[in-house]
Amino acid sequence: MHCDNHAATPTTDELSLTQLLNTADELKSLGCRLVDVTGGEPLLRPGWDVLCKRLTGHSIDVVLVSNGTLFTDAALELARQAGVVAVGVSVDGLKTTHDNTRRFLGHRDSAFDAAIAGIRKAQKLFPVTVITQVNQTNLRELPAIGRFLGELKVARWQLQLAIPTPRVLAHSRSYAILPQQLEEVTAFIVAASADPEIPMIHTSDNIGYATSAEAILRRKASGPGLWLGCVAGIRAVAIKYDGTVRGCSLLPSDFCAGNLHNESLKSIWQDASRFAYSTEFAETHLSGGCKSCKFGTICRAGCTTMAYFSTGTTGDNPYCLCRVRESHS
């Protein structure tokens, strides 16, 4: 329900396997260290394992991000042989919630049951991260989901907010959480960080900013982190199925930096002006509530995608915990 990618019919502009392999070679030459191979559902694409093997052959870590329902023993063995280092599986709630969010087409089987079965199979070969898109339907389920994933012994749990993209906004009822509900999300993450029955939580880039909770929200396996602004177009790049290159896969077409059907990834990436919203950021880009914030030039309005879909600008982001707290002080 929350995915803004929509593929009703096959397209003629999908990158060929040869183009993907050439792009893998370019990523090596550009110093790339990690690639998430995702979709859509990557296991539906013939040659996904060939691409993974080319990347890992260049000493690039590869994480396979899937809905988990196609994790057969044979598919997972292909992933192992391709050198995949970890897998990520989307779980958007307990069974009823997940099945209302991610429905199989054409039959009544449970997508939740299939995903959990896939996780159990994958755990025999890989560390598994579960990815949960936090929204109004699962917000109150987070503690129960966490305990369930702890019992399942997943390696890590990634929490990210549903972004108010056009598809999310098209739902008949509210789906994305409200900015003030960031307090509830944050309180849960802080409490869960001290709960040994809940897997270590990886907080995504659209949660938090400039409060005392940051040391917990931004913590990594190596220790606490610090939010220093969106890395889209600076340390990260997204390559879409049709060759479109953007700093982040969720950014709309206005943020297209180029297309691999027309030019090389190297020529796109090395032209920093194509990612000017990140690479040429200045204090004058801040607006709205972010303009007067003392942390504005450090935070840079948080997640660029969340800011853009919330306010139509990259410089004003109401989904900021610091801002929420100041508005109630």
Side-chain angles (χ1 to χ4, degrees), residues 115-133:
I116 300 306
I119 289 172
R120 293 186 190 279
K121 289 180 181 180
Q123 286 175 316
K124 299 174 184 178
L125 296 174
F126 305 101
V128 176
T129 293
V130 162
I131 304 164
T132 300
Q133 195 90 297

Side-chain angles (χ1 to χ4, degrees), residues 265-286:
L265 177 62
K266 182 177 180 179
S267 65
I268 296 170
W269 180 250
Q270 292 186 337
D271 182 357
S273 66
R274 304 196 195 195
F275 308 95
Y277 53 88
S278 287
T279 60
E280 298 177 10
F281 182 86
E283 187 174 2
T284 53
H285 294 163
L286 297 172

Side-chain angles (χ1 to χ4, degrees), residues 4 79 112 127 156 165 174 176 200 208 242 273 312 318 323:
D4 217 45
F112 177 84
R156 192 175 73 158
T165 60
S174 176
M200 179 178 177
D242 60 355
S273 66
R323 213 163 129 176

